[in-house]
């Protein structure tokens, strides 16, 4: 009887401890720490606010946003490289491919390294040195990313590029909050200026990490920017939905069908989504058709602004 009583008491004690742990853990959001206010957000402008502007103000704002696109590629990416070149990159004010090595098939800026962090450093450095006077926003993407540049420009519409913006889809890793490169990374010219300066300080921003384990390039970028006072900020639409996505539309719809079967569209993606990732080259062409070509007859589109693609774009 004594041993049965002892076992019962142990069970009660363990059960009580388990309940307390579950209660405590229920108040902790995985990946965001115990302080929700540390998760920084940037919201897209409200369409109604834009409609209240005069026509001259709208034109002025739209013409003030100039986006330079950096696409990091390697020879193994040739299929995606071709798809990006033929589709969404034509809508950047200027798009250039930065390759790990020389590839005769496509024009690119050769970086002579396979290391992704070194590639990113060199690409940002060259972009700043050669284009700082011509563009005020710098968008970096992988070749598996599809971007709607017009939505990016709309998101940036009332943002001051003279301020240190560093945004995209943010992820928390320990105390570090960084922008996930799979969804694309946006830097204002001020952030790029600070980054260029900290590149010269190997203690704060080493070209080769001195740690036992190596940080991914997007985490290393966040570390370097943090030393300059630039913090990663999650980009969201006016309803709080993410606009930079690290997954494909198909994956997001499947998740929504499982998690929100009654609200698949609302639970999937923002109407103002800027990027999706993990697309095959064929899917990029399908996205291009859906975003720029397909129109429902009789439906009136009342966009607040019209961003004209640069000369040479044949996708509209």
């Amino acid at each position: 009887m004594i041993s049965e009583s002892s076992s019962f008491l142990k069970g009660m004690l363990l059960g009580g401890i388990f309940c307390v742990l579950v209660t405590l853990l229920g108040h902790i959001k995985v990946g965001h720490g115990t302080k929700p206010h540390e998760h920084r957000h940037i919201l897209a402008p409200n369409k109604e606010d834009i409609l209240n502007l005069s026509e001259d103000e709208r034109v002025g704002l739209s013409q003030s946003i100039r986006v330079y696109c950096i696409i990091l590629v390697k020879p193994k990416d040739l299929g995606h490289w071709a798809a990006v070149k033929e589709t969404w990159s034509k809508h950047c004010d200027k798009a250039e491919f930065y390759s790990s090595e020389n590839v005769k098939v496509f024009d690119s800026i050769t970086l002579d390294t396979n290391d992704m962090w070194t590639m990113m450093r060199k690409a940002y450095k060259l972009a700043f040195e050669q284009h700082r006077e011509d563009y005020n926003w710098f968008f970096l993407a992988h070749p598996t990313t599809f971007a709607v540049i017009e939505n990016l420009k709309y998101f940036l519409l009332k943002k001051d590029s003279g301020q240190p913006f560093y945004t995209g889809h943010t992820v928390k890793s320990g105390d570090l909050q960084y922008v996930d490169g799979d969804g694309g990374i946006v830097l204002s010219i001020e952030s790029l200026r600070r980054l260029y300066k900290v590149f010269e300080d190997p203690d704060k921003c080493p070209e080769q990490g001195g740690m036992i384990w190596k940080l991914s390039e997007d985490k290393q970028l966040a570390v370097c920017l943090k030393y300059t006072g630039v913090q990663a900020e999650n980009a969201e639409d006016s309803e709080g939905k993410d606009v930079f996505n690290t997954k494909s539309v198909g994956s997001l719809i499947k998740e929504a069908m499982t998690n929100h079967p009654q609200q698949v569209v609302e639970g999937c993606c923002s109407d103002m989504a800027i990027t999706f990732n993990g697309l095959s080259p064929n899917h990029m062409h399908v996205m291009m058709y859906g975003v720029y070509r397909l129109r429902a007859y009789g439906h009136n589109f009342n966009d607040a602004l019209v961003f004209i693609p640069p000369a040479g774009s044949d996708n509209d």
Side-chain angles (χ1 to χ4, degrees):
M1 290 291 293
I2 292 175
S3 98
E4 288 180 359
S5 175
S6 175
S7 297
F8 176 77
L9 288 173
K10 286 181 181 177
M12 288 288 289
L13 180 60
L14 289 172
I17 292 172
F18 178 77
C19 288
V20 171
L21 285 173
V22 169
T23 302
L24 289 173
L25 290 171
H27 293 287
I28 299 175
K29 293 184 178 179
V30 177
H32 294 281
T34 57
K35 298 179 181 179
H37 67 274
E38 289 183 351
H39 192 64
R40 299 163 64 92
H41 307 261
I42 301 181
L43 294 180
N46 188 297
K47 187 172 181 178
E48 283 65 35
D49 294 338
I50 304 303
L51 288 170
N52 288 332
L53 298 175
S54 69
E55 187 64 26
D56 288 342
E57 287 175 317
R58 292 188 210 171
V59 172
L61 279 173
S62 62
Q63 292 178 344
S64 70
I65 301 170
R66 293 188 52 76
V67 177
Y68 177 79
C69 296
I70 299 168
I71 301 101
L72 299 180
V73 291
K74 294 184 177 182
K76 66 180 179 64
D77 303 319
L78 281 180
H80 285 90
W81 186 340
V84 172
K85 187 176 180 65
E86 294 167 4
T87 58
W88 67 264
S89 66
K90 292 183 178 183
H91 288 247
C92 302
D93 290 294
K94 184 176 182 64
E96 290 189 304
F97 294 82
Y98 289 76
S99 177
S100 59
E101 59 188 86
N102 183 46
V103 176
K104 294 181 180 179
V105 183
F106 296 117
D107 291 333
S108 65
I109 298 169
T110 305
L111 301 175
D112 292 320
T113 178
N114 277 307
D115 181 80
M116 287 302 295
W117 168 234
T118 307
M119 284 182 66
M120 184 181 281
R121 274 180 67 106
K122 286 187 173 184
Y124 275 135
K125 189 173 182 180
L126 287 170
F128 181 76
E129 290 173 347
Q130 297 175 10
H131 302 296
R132 63 179 179 269
E133 301 299 331
D134 302 315
Y135 305 96
N136 51 359
W137 295 97
F138 294 78
F139 172 62
L140 183 142
H142 296 314
T144 53
T145 301
F146 183 94
V148 184
I149 297 301
E150 289 78 7
N151 283 359
L152 173 59
K153 288 188 173 185
Y154 178 77
F155 176 79
L156 298 173
L157 196 62
K158 302 185 82 173
K159 311 293 187 296
D160 181 1
S161 61
Q163 296 299 314
F165 284 103
Y166 160 45
T167 187
H169 178 85
T170 60
V171 181
K172 189 94 170 181
S173 177
D175 293 330
L176 180 69
Q177 187 155 289
Y178 66 97
V179 174
D180 190 329
D182 284 344
I185 301 170
V186 175
L187 294 181
S188 64
I189 183 61
E190 175 58 24
S191 289
L192 188 56
R193 183 178 288 110
R194 296 187 187 190
L195 181 64
Y196 183 81
K197 187 175 181 180
V198 82
F199 279 159
E200 304 304 316
D201 189 337
D203 293 328
K204 294 179 178 178
C205 188
E207 185 166 343
Q208 298 293 335
M211 303 172 65
I212 298 175
W213 61 90
K214 191 172 183 180
L215 291 177
S216 62
E217 68 276 7
D218 41 17
K219 290 182 183 178
Q220 187 64 61
L221 175 65
V223 171
C224 295
L225 285 170
K226 199 170 182 180
Y227 276 113
T228 72
V230 181
Q231 302 288 333
E233 299 179 277
N234 196 61
E236 301 165 5
D237 65 15
S238 57
E239 297 178 355
K241 293 180 182 177
D242 287 341
V243 290
F244 288 84
N245 297 290
T246 58
K247 299 178 181 179
S248 67
V249 178
S251 295
L252 292 169
I253 289 175
K254 286 180 181 178
E255 290 179 7
M257 290 175 69
T258 301
N259 302 324
H260 313 283
Q262 304 303 318
Q263 293 182 313
V264 174
V265 176
E266 292 81 355
C268 164
C269 322
S270 167
D271 290 346
M272 296 302 297
I274 295 169
T275 63
F276 297 96
N277 186 258
L279 281 75
S280 70
N282 285 341
H283 286 160
M284 286 195 184
H285 287 283
V286 172
M287 284 288 292
M288 205 68 193
Y289 170 72
V291 172
Y292 292 105
R293 299 273 180 89
L294 181 63
R295 291 291 182 268
Y297 180 78
H299 183 80
N300 293 320
F301 290 86
N302 297 307
D303 292 331
L305 286 167
V306 176
F307 296 103
I308 305 300
S313 174
D314 59 1
N315 291 308
D316 290 334

